[in-house]
Amino acid sequence: MSVEVSVDPSAAPSQQRGGQNLGSRERGNRFGVAVGWNWRRVAGRVLQGLARLLTAPIRAYLSLRRSMTVASVSVLLALFMTLNVIWGFPWNGMMGAAVGLLAVGFAINRIMCPRLKLSVSLPRSAVAGHPFSVNVRLTNARMLPALNLRVGWHREGVRDIYPRRSVTAWDASPSVSLDLLRSGDQMQWHGAMRFDGRGLHELPDFQVASTFPFYLFHCRRAMATDTQIAITPAPACDDDDSTTRALLAAIGDWAHQLVAGAPVEYVGNREYEVGVPVRRWDFASWARLGRPIVREYQSPSIQAVTLIVDTSQRPVDDRSASRAQLKQRTREAEEWFERLMSVTATAIAEITSRRVQLNLCLTHEPIVELPTRSLTQPTDGVELMLVRLAAATPVDPLTGQERLGEAIQTLGTQPTLIFSMLDLGDPERVGLAGTLPGHVTYMPIRPPKHEGRGAGSGDTDDR
């Protein structure tokens, strides 16, 4: 069989010309897009420059108004007074002196405005509502000295336009004054700060103000600290309400039963120390050695338990409720969640105080991981747990149930305590109610408003 192949000599050149035309079109489109983008950038910069130029008088007025002090206002009033009297030699001199004093004082104040380098040292975590120490080191990086300084966290003499911006969730020690800070010298600000809410908080800007010369104007600079601190939940107290007392009592009983059931064994003798019970005295060794000897017992191994905090929370979404009711329910949900965090912090302190290794699981974390090593430094381990509580956020109940099941399967037969804002009888926990092993204790955390009901917050479900 023979195959005939026919070639059209005009086909290849036409295809080549078509490819050349297609490539030129693509390059043209790209060039057009680039030119259009550059023109938009130029137009945006031009509009931004015009806006800054048009608003320059307003911004200058606001800057001058916010920087004025009692002294500059007094000079300004004297200037106004010279305009309302008969012109003469003394009044012209007073007006010139007032204008010169304001102009020269404002220029010198802006020229001598300090530029400082800042470094902040503070603890890794702190308890909500409790003060913690802060150390701020300031270094004068300019060739000119910094004069008449006022440094601190508070914006003194500045009133915000919007009142809600003035409501802050932190407080700090008052600002301090410094007359002179030479070039290259350092100063330290020691004080305390307090955050009222739990979470990972950024430190506010550190405020530096100079009133040189003659306290006529304020030159304020806000220095970003770029520092974050973990504010851990405040532990729950017995005197909060009856539901809290019952809950803390249930946690204490669970930890006591856990430790009481741990076996102990005799490991040897040692010399007597003040406070050792009489039943541990070894009279035979005492008579043989001639000095007090006591028997020593300890658990054969450190018992490990796991605390699972279920951060599941139903979303607050009721279209039939008014805005005020929705806001009230949102606030109650936030208080309920903070109550869960406070009870967890108390449980961590209670369990770790009994020399029991504690593993903490939080269902808001994507992966529930259990530490495989023992806590060589219990204090550091407790602090790390509290820092994790500071970053806790609510999750969907279905996600929480899925992660609860994964954590329970990972634990094996290890004693486990579960804190949750949902009961086992709730629709979101029906699938978990019948699968809890016998070593797992489920403890619901209810809000204080359920105090009048028969089932208190301390009720537990052992499965």
Side-chain angles (χ1 to χ4, degrees):
M1 178 182 290
S2 63
V3 178
E4 295 182 0
V5 179
S6 62
V7 178
D8 187 359
S10 62
S14 63
Q15 292 177 359
Q16 184 177 5
R17 287 195 300 269
Q20 292 179 356
N21 294 334
L22 182 60
S24 61
R25 289 178 184 177
E26 291 181 355
R27 289 194 294 270
N29 293 336
R30 293 177 182 177
F31 178 76
V33 171
V35 170
W37 173 252
N38 290 334
W39 274 109
R40 284 195 294 269
R41 291 178 59 184
V42 172
R45 291 182 179 180
V46 170
L47 292 177
Q48 186 178 4
L50 290 176
R52 293 182 61 86
L53 182 62
L54 294 176
T55 58
I58 300 176
R59 290 186 288 108
Y61 165 74
L62 293 177
S63 176
L64 179 63
R65 179 175 177 270
R66 292 171 180 172
S67 62
M68 295 186 70
T69 63
V70 177
S72 57
V73 171
S74 301
V75 175
L76 187 62
L77 292 177
L79 175 62
F80 289 158
M81 185 179 64
T82 60
L83 301 177
N84 296 322
V85 297
I86 301 176
W87 285 92
F89 173 73
W91 300 111
N92 292 339
M94 290 180 60
M95 184 182 68
V99 172
L101 189 61
L102 291 176
V104 175
F106 185 77
I108 295 177
N109 181 259
R110 288 301 182 265
I111 293 174
M112 297 295 293
C113 190
R115 295 178 182 176
L116 308 178
K117 292 183 179 179
L118 177 142
S119 62
V120 182
S121 60
L122 69 165
R124 179 170 52 181
S125 63
V127 182
H130 293 259
F132 57 91
S133 61
V134 183
N135 184 19
V136 180
R137 179 175 297 178
L138 299 171
T139 305
N140 188 5
R142 294 188 64 184
M143 298 299 296
L144 299 176
L147 303 171
N148 298 338
L149 295 181
R150 185 77 174 169
V151 296
W153 298 104
H154 297 281
R155 299 181 62 194
E156 297 180 346
V158 179
R159 184 180 62 184
D160 292 333
I161 298 177
Y162 299 98
R164 60 184 178 183
R165 293 185 179 179
S166 302
V167 180
T168 56
W170 61 270
D171 193 11
S173 300
S175 304
V176 297
S177 300
L178 182 67
D179 295 333
L180 173 64
L181 185 63
R182 295 182 177 89
S183 177
D185 289 353
Q186 294 182 352
M187 68 161 294
Q188 291 187 356
W189 182 90
H190 299 278
M193 179 174 285
R194 185 189 75 246
F195 282 88
D196 297 332
R198 177 196 59 88
L200 301 178
H201 295 285
E202 295 284 346
L203 261 65
D205 295 340
F206 193 77
Q207 306 294 328
V208 178
S210 175
T211 55
F212 182 82
F214 309 122
Y215 298 92
L216 287 174
F217 295 95
H218 287 289
C219 182
R220 297 184 178 90
R221 287 187 180 274
M223 305 179 65
T225 57
D226 297 331
T227 306
Q228 191 180 61
I229 184 172
I231 303 300
T232 61
C237 300
D238 293 339
D239 54 354
D240 289 344
D241 52 78
S242 60
T243 55
T244 304
R245 289 193 294 269
L247 180 61
L248 297 182
I251 296 173
D253 293 341
W254 182 84
H256 177 72
Q257 294 175 5
L258 183 70
V259 177
V264 295
E265 61 182 11
Y266 171 75
V267 295
N269 295 343
R270 62 179 177 85
E271 293 187 3
Y272 170 78
E273 294 180 358
V274 178
V276 177
V278 179
R279 63 179 180 273
R280 293 177 55 183
W281 288 2
D282 190 350
F283 295 98
S285 300
W286 189 350
R288 184 176 65 256
L289 299 176
R291 60 179 182 272
I293 301 297
V294 296
R295 298 186 182 91
E296 187 175 8
Y297 300 89
Q298 70 177 9
S299 299
S301 61
I302 299 177
Q303 191 171 4
V305 299
T306 301
L307 175 61
I308 302 179
V309 183
D310 181 18
T311 60
S312 302
Q313 189 174 35
R314 300 186 185 93
V316 181
D317 187 10
D318 191 356
R319 299 181 180 179
S320 61
S322 62
R323 181 177 300 180
Q325 294 176 350
L326 187 61
K327 185 177 181 180
Q328 177 67 20
R329 295 177 183 177
T330 303
R331 183 168 59 252
E332 292 177 355
E334 294 175 355
E335 294 177 355
W336 193 358
F337 189 82
E338 296 303 325
R339 175 183 174 85
L340 172 64
M341 296 295 105
S342 298
V343 171
T344 304
T346 305
I348 291 175
E350 177 70 22
I351 297 174
T352 54
S353 65
R354 300 178 182 272
R355 298 182 180 180
V356 177
Q357 180 181 349
L358 177 63
N359 300 325
L360 179 64
C361 294
L362 300 169
T363 57
H364 81 280
E365 298 173 346
I367 301 177
V368 179
E369 297 181 355
L370 297 179
T372 56
R373 61 180 181 86
S374 61
L375 300 178
T376 57
Q377 297 179 351
T379 54
D380 292 345
V382 171
E383 186 177 9
L384 291 176
M385 294 179 195
L386 295 178
V387 170
R388 293 172 61 188
L389 289 182
T393 55
V395 296
D396 182 74
L398 297 179
T399 303
Q401 180 174 352
E402 179 181 356
R403 292 174 181 172
L404 277 176
E406 295 177 358
I408 293 174
Q409 292 179 0
T410 307
L411 296 176
T413 59
Q414 189 175 110
T416 304
L417 178 63
I418 299 178
F419 288 158
S420 178
M421 293 182 292
L422 301 176
D423 294 335
L424 286 177
D426 293 341
E428 295 86 355
R429 291 294 177 266
V430 173
L432 185 66
T435 59
L436 286 180
H439 61 274
V440 177
T441 302
Y442 192 94
M443 189 175 297
I445 309 298
R446 300 188 179 93
K449 65 180 181 180
H450 292 170
E451 183 175 354
R453 296 188 179 182
S457 297
D459 295 343
T460 58
D461 294 328
D462 297 337
R463 301 297 174 98

